[in-house]
Amino acid sequence: MEAVVPHEITTELTQILANLVLGDNKIRSNAEQAVNDRLAQTPDLYLLALAQFSIAADTEVMRSFSLVLLRRLLFRAAPGQQPREGRLTLYDQLPAHALTTLERLLLHSLSHEPLDAVRRKTVDTVCDLANNSMSRGRPWHALQAQTFTMTQTGEAGFRECAYRLFSGCPNLVMDLQTDAVLTVFRKGLQDSQSVEVRLAALRASVSYLTACDQHQLSQSLSLLYPMLDTLPSLSNIHLKSFLSSLTPLCSSHPNLFVPHMNALLSFLRGLIMPSVDSGPTPTVAKPFPGTSPSFTFPPDGPGSRTPDDSDEVTEDEEKELVRKAALEFMVSLTEAKPTLAKRSEGWTAAMVRASLEGMGELPEDTLDSWLEADPSEDSQDENYPHVYEQSLDRVACALGGKAVLPPAFQYIPSMLANYDWRLRHAGLMAIAAIAEGTSKVMQMELGKVVDLVTPMFKDAHPRVRYAACQCVGQLCTDLEEIIQDRYHEQLFAALIPTLEAPEPRVHSHAAAALINFCEGVERDTLVPYLDPIVERLLKMLNPGADDGKAVKGYVQEQAITTLAMVADASEATFAKHYNSIMPLLLNVLRNANSSDHYKLRAKAMECAGLIAIAVGRNVFRADANTLIDLLIKIQNSPVDPSDTMLPTFLIATWAKICQALGTEFEPFLPVVMPPLLSAASAKADVSVYDDEDDVGETREGWETISMDGQIVGIRTSTIDEKCQAFDTLVVYCATLSGRFAPYLTQSLELSLPALKFYFHDGVREAASRLIPLLFSCGKNSGTLTSQMVAASFLQLIHSIRAETDPSFLSSLYRALADGLRVVGIPALTPDLQAALIEATKHQLQTLADKRKRRAESPEDDREELALLEEVEEFALEDMEKLLKMLDGQHPLLVAVSSVRDLGFNQWDSEEERDSDR
């Protein structure tokens, strides 16, 4: 093919690309700068040179690299853009003739590239170019024609790439006759020469069906038959990829699978069970506990390994991957269409049994290392069968108790009675996994569940006792208040002795389960058990262990955390234990200064603050100055960047001390406010990426979100600290009222813009609560001005108009109403009132439009929509309250009622919803 760019450009680019792949950082950095410089000056020449290089380069590596680089650069933001401009890319700067040449070069690469690996890179680049071109109104008819031609070629590699193109760019076929498209896809699905072609055709079919409109979809239902027919003949090495490729269709179009449920169950049931089953199951005694986790029989004798053992291991790994892929397929379809699973006899039972089987497949002979490991750093966690536990949890949440509890408890009791500890462990973890989704029905049989679980606290195996703690902790969360109220005697009788278990991991986990218990317990229920609990927690905290061994750090951290929660739950009754605990905590704060004690120090701060609140200022006052002096010392010490917990915990502890001391905290404001205001004013530390390829692995302490069509990385520690700072400002202002006046102006100046801090909802919520509290502070101290009030109301009204989250919209209306209660209705001037009414009209129209659209989409998840409308109801309720404050007969009240009437009623009755869980 003749050259399309001057020879000197090609020569220069060859050298630049060679430097880019070198390991030397300086050379590579200079090459990257050279690329950026050339693209800023003549983007068309260098992009075309890259495309030409992908054809002409001598080596596979350089042809592949040039295609990857071309793909990344084409849709990168053009240099010199202003931030507020529409996002233009280098592609948008190319003249029409350059685009035509670029398309011709890539089509040449598609049809002439001899190596499959390079041609697949071409496909990726072509798909990106085609999708972006079509979205800009530029068709690519030559690509469409060439792709259909490639499906007819005799070489399997070219046929595979054709279907890869259909998969990556379904728009190539969306405007064609449906029959013609289905014929081409069927041919690929039935390709007898190449499994790769069949896989590519399957993915193309999934992309096509996903992109179809309702009319096209109704004409394409027959495509499911050849798609599913690709599965039975496959070996395990390929079956996992085929199942994983089909799974997204389960989530997006579950109704397509309705006619195929029986056939799918017959096929998948054999895949999701262990590959070899000796007959006994997790629900029946397993005769050979030392065998492999797949319940094989008989066990291998000494020296029974064969030369092909490594192949068998690989084969077993492939079967396990297929097993997980098949289960994921079934669970995804169940989540997308629960009624379909409920109506298919045997479907739910198969998933439950398979999940229970998988949960029992823990590795043997790892107890010693498990006992010694820190739970937060346990490498064995990688071998835990999380997939099966999560699958059971997901199935329970999707189907509810009526569907899941009967098949689950067909097996669980005998699992708990099995002499293989792994099955007893799995039975307990299974109860914990299904509790959330089945809670409404489980509570009717909760006594039987408790009777099954509590004896397991006396099990001989430490990991089973650990699982019993996990199970009870989860039940206390998912059936909060119910289980604590009805069965606290049995649970305390099991948990309290376990605090003295000989194994640190077990007694630490018992302490963790107590936290879950205390979160839903009444004070009067907890008080009789307070003494034995505190006594045992203090033993766990005391570093002078009876056997002379040092207490593990994670045990001390857990003991302190549990003490804090117990103090919080028992309130003033905890005062009798104050003198036993506070000196220990103060000692920790004096001495826990090394990096391996940072977490312990943070937990001690939190605990001291919660105990101070629980016992009240009269008991706490004697130690208040000591604790405050220690916190000031810690606050003024050099900052260790690795101690990421300290800033947030320090701010939160100051807030707790303020709550404990009340107005007596005022003298310490000059100490705590400067760093607090600094944290509250922190800007979000963000990185904006051009595309997903730039993100790479998420850095520790960072997370990525999609915002306004861009991928944004956010440093979470900074915004978490900012959120804690705003929460603490709320505490100070609410507790000190007029005494907080010296910081009124600064706090208000921070709060108003924070209403639009979209990186963290907690910051916005705290800011909305703070504004009316600041009004009250200013009113009580005589420092509130009319300008402050007007600016605050104006910002709230602007935020109301722009808000898209109905949950925070409710908070904004509450903030405005609370502010008016403080300063009086006349403070809302006619101009502000008019702006508020316009903003409210806008929100009512928006909510009405959303509800009308939902009514037109009956296939959407009704339960999810019901939850969304419940949040909207809160917003409408707070909107209504504010309008009634302004005028009991306000004309917009009728509009609020009209919007409310547009919501649908998901269930005939509350009882019907509850009984189904």
Side-chain angles (χ1 to χ4, degrees):
M1 188 175 186
E2 73 278 5
V4 297
V5 294
H7 178 69
E8 59 272 18
I9 298 288
T10 305
T11 303
E12 183 186 23
L13 183 65
T14 303
Q15 186 58 54
I16 290 174
L17 292 178
N19 290 343
L20 280 173
V21 297
L22 289 176
D24 186 290
N25 287 336
K26 186 175 181 181
I27 294 175
R28 189 168 65 245
S29 179
N30 290 336
E32 289 171 356
Q33 186 58 50
V35 169
N36 292 331
D37 291 343
R38 306 303 185 276
L39 290 174
Q41 296 163 11
T42 51
D44 51 339
L45 273 181
Y46 281 87
L47 290 173
L48 290 177
L50 262 181
Q52 181 175 285
F53 197 75
S54 71
I55 298 169
D58 296 333
T59 66
E60 172 188 351
V61 170
M62 294 311 291
R63 294 200 301 279
S64 295
F65 181 59
S66 60
L67 285 162
V68 171
L69 190 59
L70 177 62
R71 182 185 174 201
R72 288 171 63 86
L73 294 177
L74 265 174
F75 299 100
R76 192 173 78 173
Q81 271 194 92
Q82 295 301 315
R84 295 192 177 277
E85 291 179 5
R87 190 171 183 269
L88 292 176
T89 65
L90 291 173
Y91 171 94
D92 297 304
Q93 295 186 337
L94 296 179
H97 68 84
L99 285 175
T100 303
T101 305
L102 178 63
E103 292 168 350
R104 182 164 54 84
L105 290 170
L106 288 173
L107 289 178
H108 186 277
S109 176
L110 264 183
S111 58
H112 291 83
E113 172 55 52
L115 298 177
D116 290 346
V118 179
R119 199 182 314 110
R120 288 169 188 151
K121 296 285 193 304
T122 306
V123 168
D124 293 339
T125 304
V126 166
C127 286
D128 263 17
L129 179 60
N131 286 325
N132 281 280
S133 294
M134 291 178 189
S135 70
R136 290 163 168 79
R138 180 183 173 89
W140 194 353
H141 299 302
L143 173 63
Q144 188 182 56
Q146 182 163 315
T147 306
F148 275 95
T149 301
M150 288 169 67
T151 64
Q152 311 292 328
T153 185
E155 292 186 44
F158 284 92
R159 296 199 302 278
E160 179 200 355
C161 281
Y163 289 106
R164 279 175 173 263
L165 283 163
F166 288 138
S167 174
C169 184
N171 280 333
L172 286 172
V173 295
M174 299 314 295
D175 60 344
L176 301 179
Q177 288 291 327
T178 303
D179 287 345
V181 176
L182 298 187
T183 300
V184 171
F185 284 174
R186 284 195 198 99
K187 183 176 180 182
L189 292 166
Q190 295 164 355
D191 194 296
S192 59
Q193 296 179 6
S194 170
V195 69
E196 284 80 13
V197 173
R198 296 201 296 277
L199 178 58
L202 180 67
R203 288 171 174 163
S205 302
V206 170
S207 292
Y208 173 71
L209 291 172
T210 303
C212 277
D213 60 32
Q214 204 60 40
H215 177 67
Q216 288 172 309
L217 201 59
S218 65
Q219 295 182 313
S220 306
L221 298 179
S222 62
L223 188 59
L224 257 290
Y225 289 94
M227 289 170 69
L228 296 177
D229 282 345
T230 61
L231 301 177
S233 62
L234 294 169
S235 62
N236 284 326
I237 197 170
H238 297 297
L239 186 51
K240 186 260 180 187
S241 298
F242 276 70
L243 286 167
S244 298
S245 299
L246 266 172
T247 299
L249 198 60
C250 294
S251 300
S252 62
H253 292 77
N255 286 336
L256 292 174
F257 295 92
V258 171
H260 308 279
M261 291 298 286
N262 290 336
L264 280 170
L265 180 58
S266 298
F267 176 66
L268 294 170
R269 183 157 39 196
L271 298 179
I272 62 176
M273 298 304 294
S275 55
V276 180
D277 194 335
S278 60
T281 72
T283 65
V284 184
K286 177 169 178 274
F288 298 95
T291 60
S292 78
S294 57
F295 305 97
T296 56
F297 174 77
D300 291 329
S304 64
R305 293 182 66 81
T306 69
D308 295 328
D309 273 356
S310 60
D311 294 335
E312 290 175 12
V313 170
T314 304
E315 187 177 337
D316 284 345
E317 289 172 352
E318 289 169 357
K319 286 181 179 177
E320 182 63 14
L321 290 173
V322 169
R323 184 179 168 196
K324 290 175 179 175
L327 185 58
E328 177 61 30
F329 178 97
M330 295 181 74
V331 174
S332 296
L333 187 54
T334 301
E335 288 178 315
K337 192 78 174 176
T339 53
L340 186 57
K342 290 178 182 178
R343 291 171 186 162
S344 301
E345 187 176 351
W347 185 273
T348 302
M351 289 187 297
V352 170
R353 166 107 189 264
S355 298
L356 292 173
E357 292 273 4
M359 289 175 67
E361 297 172 11
L362 285 162
E364 278 278 26
D365 302 325
T366 57
L367 180 58
D368 289 343
S369 55
W370 180 85
L371 287 172
E372 286 302 312
D374 184 323
S376 63
E377 301 169 359
D378 188 0
S379 60
Q380 291 186 49
D381 191 54
E382 298 171 8
N383 299 321
Y384 184 78
H386 292 289
V387 168
Y388 299 106
E389 185 176 313
Q390 290 162 2
S391 295
L392 191 61
D393 177 24
R394 291 164 61 193
V395 169
C397 289
L399 299 180
K402 279 188 175 181
V404 172
L405 287 178
F409 278 90
Q410 180 184 346
Y411 301 123
I412 287 174
S414 50
M415 292 173 75
L416 296 177
N418 198 292
Y419 64 84
D420 186 341
W421 72 266
R422 295 175 298 178
L423 301 184
R424 301 197 301 276
H425 181 282
L428 290 164
M429 298 301 280
I431 294 173
I434 62 177
E436 179 187 3
T438 66
S439 59
K440 292 290 192 299
V441 178
M442 185 184 280
Q443 64 180 270
M444 300 175 193
E445 302 289 340
L446 193 53
K448 295 177 183 177
V449 175
V450 171
D451 289 342
L452 278 174
V453 172
T454 48
M456 308 309 290
F457 281 85
K458 297 179 180 178
D459 196 277
H461 200 286
R463 295 194 67 172
V464 176
R465 283 181 272 123
Y466 180 94
C469 296
Q470 175 69 24
C471 182
V472 165
Q474 195 63 50
L475 288 171
C476 288
T477 296
D478 295 328
L479 292 106
E480 187 173 328
E481 297 183 4
I482 298 168
I483 192 168
Q484 288 95 327
D485 180 53
R486 296 183 194 169
Y487 302 104
H488 56 86
E489 288 184 23
Q490 294 97 310
L491 295 181
F492 274 132
L495 279 172
I496 292 174
T498 310
L499 292 172
E500 295 185 295
E503 306 87 4
R505 287 197 72 170
V506 177
H507 61 236
S508 171
H509 211 52
L514 269 176
I515 291 179
N516 299 57
F517 190 98
C518 289
E519 284 176 344
V521 75
E522 292 292 330
R523 188 188 73 86
D524 292 343
T525 303
L526 177 61
V527 167
Y529 304 96
L530 196 57
D531 291 354
I533 290 173
V534 173
E535 177 189 339
R536 285 159 177 79
L537 290 173
L538 286 174
K539 281 185 183 178
M540 289 169 59
L541 185 57
N542 183 5
D546 296 337
D547 58 3
K549 292 182 180 178
V551 175
K552 292 180 180 290
Y554 71 82
V555 175
Q556 291 181 303
E557 293 161 9
Q558 185 61 64
I560 287 177
T561 305
T562 306
L563 279 168
M565 182 55 69
V566 170
D568 191 42
S570 58
E571 300 171 1
T573 314
F574 198 79
K576 64 185 290 189
H577 299 287
Y578 178 84
N579 290 327
S580 302
I581 296 170
M582 187 59 81
L584 289 174
L585 298 175
L586 296 176
N587 195 43
V588 170
L589 295 178
R590 285 189 192 97
N591 300 309
N593 298 315
S594 60
S595 58
D596 54 339
H597 289 135
Y598 284 162
K599 186 175 181 182
L600 181 66
R601 182 173 68 178
K603 295 291 186 181
M605 282 184 204
E606 178 183 49
C607 186
L610 284 169
I611 288 175
I613 295 172
V615 301
R617 79 179 75 174
N618 291 332
V619 176
F620 171 58
R621 190 179 283 116
D623 292 305
N625 285 331
T626 304
L627 177 57
I628 288 169
D629 288 344
L630 286 169
L631 292 179
I632 291 172
K633 182 180 177 183
I634 293 170
Q635 180 172 291
N636 294 335
S637 298
V639 177
D640 183 346
S642 68
D643 188 4
T644 55
M645 296 179 72
L646 178 62
T648 303
F649 273 77
L650 191 57
I651 291 170
T653 304
W654 283 125
K656 292 178 178 70
I657 293 173
C658 177
Q659 287 175 279
L661 292 179
T663 55
E664 293 177 25
F665 186 76
E666 182 189 359
F668 304 104
L669 283 177
V671 174
V672 299
M673 284 304 294
L676 183 67
L677 293 170
S678 175
S681 62
K683 306 295 183 187
D685 191 352
V686 300
S687 297
V688 180
Y689 303 104
D690 288 326
D691 56 45
E692 291 183 19
D693 294 334
D694 289 338
V695 177
E697 288 191 17
T698 305
R699 288 176 285 174
E700 186 176 354
W702 289 68
E703 65 179 38
T704 57
I705 60 170
S706 180
M707 181 177 284
D708 296 332
Q710 292 181 308
I711 300 168
V712 179
I714 308 172
R715 187 173 182 174
T716 52
S717 59
T718 304
I719 59 174
D720 287 343
E721 189 179 339
K722 184 184 182 81
C723 182
Q724 185 62 66
F726 269 95
D727 284 336
T728 300
L729 285 171
V730 169
V731 170
Y732 289 171
C733 193
T735 305
L736 300 173
S737 189
R739 298 169 189 262
F740 189 70
Y743 305 97
L744 168 62
T745 303
Q746 286 172 282
S747 299
L748 196 57
E749 288 173 352
L750 288 171
S751 299
L752 296 179
L755 294 171
K756 295 186 177 181
F757 190 79
Y758 297 109
F759 296 110
H760 198 301
D761 289 340
V763 172
R764 300 206 295 155
E765 288 287 352
S768 70
R769 295 198 308 273
L770 182 57
I771 290 168
L773 290 172
L774 291 170
F775 281 10
S776 182
C777 164
K779 183 178 180 182
N780 292 336
S781 61
T783 54
L784 186 67
T785 66
S786 58
Q787 289 84 356
M788 289 179 181
V789 173
S792 301
F793 282 153
L794 184 61
Q795 185 65 54
L796 284 167
I797 292 166
H798 285 167
S799 297
I800 284 172
R801 181 175 180 85
E803 189 53 50
T804 57
D805 175 7
S807 175
F808 188 59
L809 181 63
S810 183
S811 300
L812 289 168
Y813 274 106
R814 278 200 304 275
L816 195 53
D818 290 344
L820 285 171
R821 290 187 186 98
V822 174
V823 299
I825 300 295
L828 196 68
T829 63
D831 287 346
L832 288 171
Q833 193 163 149
L836 172 61
I837 298 307
E838 285 304 311
T840 301
K841 286 179 181 177
H842 171 75
Q843 285 294 348
L844 286 168
Q845 185 62 55
T846 301
L847 289 170
D849 292 343
K850 284 180 181 177
R851 294 188 167 200
K852 288 174 185 175
R853 282 196 300 272
R854 287 181 207 136
E856 295 165 3
S857 305
E859 288 301 315
D860 288 342
D861 185 333
R862 291 181 65 82
E863 186 169 356
E864 186 178 323
L865 294 183
L867 291 173
L868 182 59
E869 289 201 354
E870 189 176 343
V871 174
E872 292 174 355
E873 285 297 326
F874 288 125
L876 289 169
E877 188 177 312
D878 286 307
M879 186 187 296
E880 188 175 53
K881 287 177 181 176
L882 180 60
L883 290 170
K884 285 180 178 178
M885 282 180 68
L886 300 178
D887 179 357
Q889 302 296 320
H890 200 288
L892 280 184
L893 291 172
V894 176
V896 173
S897 298
S898 300
V899 173
R900 188 174 279 139
D901 291 341
L902 290 173
F904 67 86
N905 185 1
Q906 183 198 4
W907 309 92
D908 292 334
S909 68
E910 265 315 291
E911 290 73 27
E912 182 182 340
R913 174 175 65 177
D914 289 348
S915 66
D916 197 45
R917 306 310 296 174

